[in-house]
Amino acid sequence: MKDDDRPEPDTIREKIWEIIFRHDTPASRRFDVILLILITISVVVIMLESIEKYRIQHESTFRIIEWAFTGLFTIEYLVRLWVVRRTHRYAFSFFGIVDLLSILPTYLALIFTGSHYFIVIRILRLLRMFRVLKMVRHVGEANVLLNALMASRSKITVFLFSVLALTSILGTLMYLVEGVIYHNPAFPNIPESIYWGIVTISTTGYGDVTPTSPVGKLITTAIMLMGYGIIAVPTGIVSAELNMQLAAIRMDRRVCSNCKTEGHDPKASHCKMCGDKL
Amino acid sequence: MKDDDRPEPDTIREKIWEIIFRHDTPASRRFDVILLILITISVVVIMLESIEKYRIQHESTFRIIEWAFTGLFTIEYLVRLWVVRRTHRYAFSFFGIVDLLSILPTYLALIFTGSHYFIVIRILRLLRMFRVLKMVRHVGEANVLLNALMASRSKITVFLFSVLALTSILGTLMYLVEGVIYHNPAFPNIPESIYWGIVTISTTGYGDVTPTSPVGKLITTAIMLMGYGIIAVPTGIVSAELNMQLAAIRMDRRVCSNCKTEGHDPKASHCKMCGDKL
Amino acid sequence: MKDDDRPEPDTIREKIWEIIFRHDTPASRRFDVILLILITISVVVIMLESIEKYRIQHESTFRIIEWAFTGLFTIEYLVRLWVVRRTHRYAFSFFGIVDLLSILPTYLALIFTGSHYFIVIRILRLLRMFRVLKMVRHVGEANVLLNALMASRSKITVFLFSVLALTSILGTLMYLVEGVIYHNPAFPNIPESIYWGIVTISTTGYGDVTPTSPVGKLITTAIMLMGYGIIAVPTGIVSAELNMQLAAIRMDRRVCSNCKTEGHDPKASHCKMCGDKL
Amino acid sequence: MKDDDRPEPDTIREKIWEIIFRHDTPASRRFDVILLILITISVVVIMLESIEKYRIQHESTFRIIEWAFTGLFTIEYLVRLWVVRRTHRYAFSFFGIVDLLSILPTYLALIFTGSHYFIVIRILRLLRMFRVLKMVRHVGEANVLLNALMASRSKITVFLFSVLALTSILGTLMYLVEGVIYHNPAFPNIPESIYWGIVTISTTGYGDVTPTSPVGKLITTAIMLMGYGIIAVPTGIVSAELNMQLAAIRMDRRVCSNCKTEGHDPKASHCKMCGDKL
């Protein structure tokens, strides 16, 4: 949260803002730690609930705990909305949306009390898992990684699309060879064959679908060797991008006193924009 | 398509050329979007047809849709051939060939109407999947990736060949250890053992073929550790190549006329060493 | 061990110190080699003991060998404590702790002679395996790798946490799709689904848990494609860090006293710009 | 082969040397191509022989072909030994040894005609597969890759050893958790558990050995996340090394006219060793 979201000084709103939104005072640090612990517990509880044995034994206990946590996080969310100066900016920020999404599922399970719809609603309930993402906020190093990933976003999209197109063609070829010609039941249609192609080219290799014919194995070999060159591409992209990010960080921090330009060569003696002595 | 393929101005050919071959006017953009949607639908339809359940139920529907799409794309291909100034250049360009290959299979299935040959012809029919590759044309970022891959092409070929040679030797060794000495039916001959070697060294690891003897497991362990060093090579190649591509793009070739300093920021207006105007 | 740990000159302590803690005299080299061989044998013996067939046949032999090695390494440990000038510095150094941990398990198995606790204690006994790590001490190159890993430690932690958070959400989604909706017994609860998620996103792909529904396979495909971008991140981090480590090693900090040029070759004796002696 | 191995001019030896050891004259190129084809055929034949169906049907044919190829390659080997000026240098070079190893197995199968030794000898016979490596000789690009791999050899050895040590400890831990405590038959002893550890940490993941207990799955998850950081290391090493190799190639080729020093900074105006103007 930028400092221009700070409320008027010396009010109760400002004090709460300092505790909730800052991370550098003793009080705000204590708040962060407690919040992190509560989030962790609530996530562990929802995971334990999913284990049938525990769910049957302690159904009501789980419900009470879930409502307690949801209540707590709802209050926290409302307080956040109140103390922040520009409410809409927080509400539509990444963490504002995550905060909202992590309390909604419990309430949604309440409204839609239909019988067989129940299962579908539980999908939304379990989205509370998104709370986990809250923790990312507290770590500073994430920015360099995110910047590098953001900068290579379009290249990675092109790459992923190319992989998908290539795998579609190879999957179709394998469907014809294994499924149609050799009657391998593991390749019953093109979508399943494409699923196999992705499992193979990503080097995951479950082994639930494998070729049995010599021709199919030959094509598989070619796909896996291709996979070598392919996995090298995103690594190379992110690697080159990170190199640049890190180089930019270590660049000179001098600011030209005349035109305020930043980002000079560490060896430079004159401003690159106005020619003034640095 | 380069601009020297543009037909004579103010003709109907030029207007169609502008719609089909350019991507920066409202009309050409609309054409691109519609084409993309049609290609996607036709690909999805062919995938659904491969699912037995749907194929049996809607056989004639699938045939009609397929012929409709093939007709449409044939017209599109002929128009492309007509409007372009140098027909052979388009026809033998990468996308000219892809465009042709994506309509041929349907016609080929018509000519060769033999009974049991039918299955073989379907292989060609499904090559229509190549249409997917058309989409790549519309994305600009692909060039940097393709350049990096092209520049490292010969290094990657050498690498792939070395991996293949190494895997052949290791596969033979495993055939002797597992197949001949320990009678493991999963290693019946050298080609199957090489298939296993590629599955292992590429870290795919289906698990359809696995060693059972202690010696075989020891060799497998060695192969997998070797695989670490091996997978690093193509990644290093593409990474180094991408670094150079990106560095070359961002370099500035201006030299200060006063002090002859090189290596200025592309955005700089003054020399960083003497402050002279660049 | 730094040289300020060397005991008073010309004493027996100093002679033993030279043999045990140095690696550059003939005597100390011989000691290192013998120690390495003994450690290797003792590790191989404990591994053979774990094989039921051998354990039943040679139980008493294994016990004698184990006690002989433990006795020997205990004496070595005590001698190390005695000869070193500042005992606590060795005792709390990485290798001091490893040396201690590699003899403790045998003694611990002695004290706690309870019947069913026995198995739990054997866990500690087998920690003697840590002796293997001793060998790392003898290799110099490890430092560059460790420095690069240490420098990227916080970035890798953030990365691992993000992967864990992402996999938790995807695992929950798969539990709902595969386990709840499609009743796939391989996805019985969220923790098991997260285990599957990690197996998939790390491209390990055992195949013990695999999706069976079309929706589940679609999500799996998305996860594996995501895995491409994800595996690129730690590689990029370590790669960028190693580049810097190696660049820093090869950099020269000398400045020409005549023309103030920096960035000379470490082996250069004259300034590359003015020819003045450096 | 260096030029100082060339025999006396205008002799028959020199002419054969030019055909066999050079790769830049029409005659030598023709020889290389024919040799490559013969090697390929002989490798394919040995692979086909390993397939039981063919071996039973055409046993004598395979034997004749094998002896024909071995005879031919033996003559080739002897001629190579004769034409080269310094016989021992060729004989003990990498390809001299490969050439010898690729003819020996057939002869060895002849001498040791014992009954049950037969299988062991076949191991040596199949080493003829090494002939495949001969092809590498004909490719020029391999050098940059080999240099980069050689330069990072010691770092990769340290890395592989560390992985092996780490996997030994983790394998022991898993043996105790899965094998001893939870009685999972897939983890019967420490060596098998280490095998599983390598299969897991290299992200191969056959799935022939998988954890079944919750604790075992938790440890497996940790190992796989660790595997992320680990696979990044060799990639980073080779990547950094290749960057340097490529940078060195593109470095300045100017030689100081005074002291013959090479490897100057492209921007340098004076020799870095003697200070003379370049």
Side-chain angles (χ1 to χ4, degrees), chain B residues 88-100:
Chain B
H88 67 276
R89 199 159 109 179
Y90 162 68
F92 294 103
S93 72
F94 177 67
F95 283 117
I97 292 161
V98 168
D99 288 351
L100 182 62

Side-chain angles (χ1 to χ4, degrees), chain D residues 23-246:
Chain D
H23 311 294
D24 47 0
T25 64
S28 70
R29 277 178 180 279
R30 238 173 291 132
F31 176 81
D32 284 351
V33 168
I34 291 165
L35 191 64
L36 269 171
I37 291 166
L38 290 180
I39 291 166
T40 309
I41 293 170
S42 90
V43 166
V44 169
V45 165
I46 205 81
M47 282 185 182
L48 290 177
E49 198 202 323
S50 79
I51 299 169
E52 204 170 19
K53 198 174 66 182
Y54 301 134
R55 187 169 57 241
I56 291 163
Q57 275 180 9
H58 312 284
E59 211 182 344
S60 54
T61 318
F62 278 125
R63 191 149 303 172
I64 290 160
I65 295 171
E66 197 196 322
W67 274 105
F69 276 119
T70 304
L72 219 62
F73 292 143
T74 308
I75 292 162
E76 186 220 334
Y77 180 65
L78 294 174
V79 169
R80 277 180 193 271
L81 283 177
W82 172 58
V83 297
V84 108
R85 189 174 276 231
R86 278 176 288 179
T87 310
H88 66 275
R89 200 160 107 177
Y90 163 67
F92 294 102
S93 72
F94 176 67
F95 283 117
I97 291 161
V98 168
D99 288 351
L100 182 63
L101 283 177
S102 66
I103 52 171
L104 270 187
T106 313
Y107 295 107
L108 284 174
L110 234 170
I111 302 164
F112 303 89
T113 32
S115 51
H116 73 281
Y117 282 106
F118 182 65
I119 289 159
V120 182
I121 290 152
R122 195 173 281 178
I123 295 175
L124 298 168
R125 266 184 74 194
L126 284 155
L127 280 173
R128 240 184 330 159
M129 198 57 64
F130 272 116
R131 261 177 211 149
V132 175
L133 279 178
K134 266 190 175 175
M135 296 172 199
V136 174
R137 193 191 328 189
H138 308 285
V139 195
E141 282 275 352
N143 278 333
V144 182
L145 289 182
L146 275 178
N147 284 346
L149 278 178
M150 280 297 137
S152 35
R153 193 181 31 185
S154 63
K155 271 192 231 72
I156 283 178
T157 307
V158 171
F159 164 74
L160 284 184
F161 182 82
S162 310
V163 170
L164 215 55
L166 182 71
T167 320
S168 296
I169 295 162
L170 292 170
T172 303
L173 186 63
M174 279 301 275
Y175 160 63
L176 287 162
V177 170
E178 285 284 324
V180 176
I181 299 177
Y182 285 95
H183 305 290
N184 181 347
F187 293 84
N189 50 55
I190 298 180
E192 295 262 351
S193 304
I194 293 174
Y195 163 73
W196 167 87
I198 299 273
V199 168
T200 300
I201 218 161
S202 69
T203 74
T204 306
Y206 283 135
D208 53 347
V209 182
T210 50
T212 51
S213 71
V215 183
K217 286 183 176 177
L218 200 69
I219 298 170
T220 305
T221 300
I223 292 173
M224 284 183 295
L225 288 179
M226 225 177 272
Y228 263 130
I230 284 168
I231 209 152
V233 174
T235 311
I237 294 169
V238 175
S239 193
E241 222 38 81
L242 264 175
N243 259 333
M244 259 161 228
Q245 293 277 337
L246 290 174

Side-chain angles (χ1 to χ4, degrees), chain A residues 154-155 158 161 176 180 189-190 194 196 200 203-207 217 228 235 244 265 269-270 272-273, chain B residues 47 50 119 123 126 129 132 135 139 141 192 199 201 203-206 235 250 265 267 269-270 272-273:
Chain A
S154 63
K155 274 194 228 70
V158 172
F161 182 82
L176 288 162
V180 176
N189 50 55
I190 297 180
I194 292 174
W196 166 87
T200 300
T203 78
T204 306
Y206 283 135
K217 286 183 178 179
Y228 263 130
T235 312
M244 259 161 227
D265 185 324
S269 55
H270 289 78
K272 65 185 175 184
M273 294 320 276
Chain B
M47 283 186 182
S50 79
I119 289 160
I123 295 177
L126 285 156
M129 198 56 64
V132 175
M135 295 172 200
V139 195
E141 282 276 351
E192 295 262 351
V199 169
I201 219 161
T203 77
T204 306
Y206 283 135
T235 311
R250 278 155 218 219
D265 186 321
K267 289 181 204 146
S269 56
H270 288 78
K272 65 183 176 184
M273 295 318 276

Side-chain angles (χ1 to χ4, degrees), chain C residues 200-212:
Chain C
T200 300
I201 218 162
S202 69
T203 76
T204 306
Y206 284 135
D208 52 347
V209 182
T210 51
T212 51

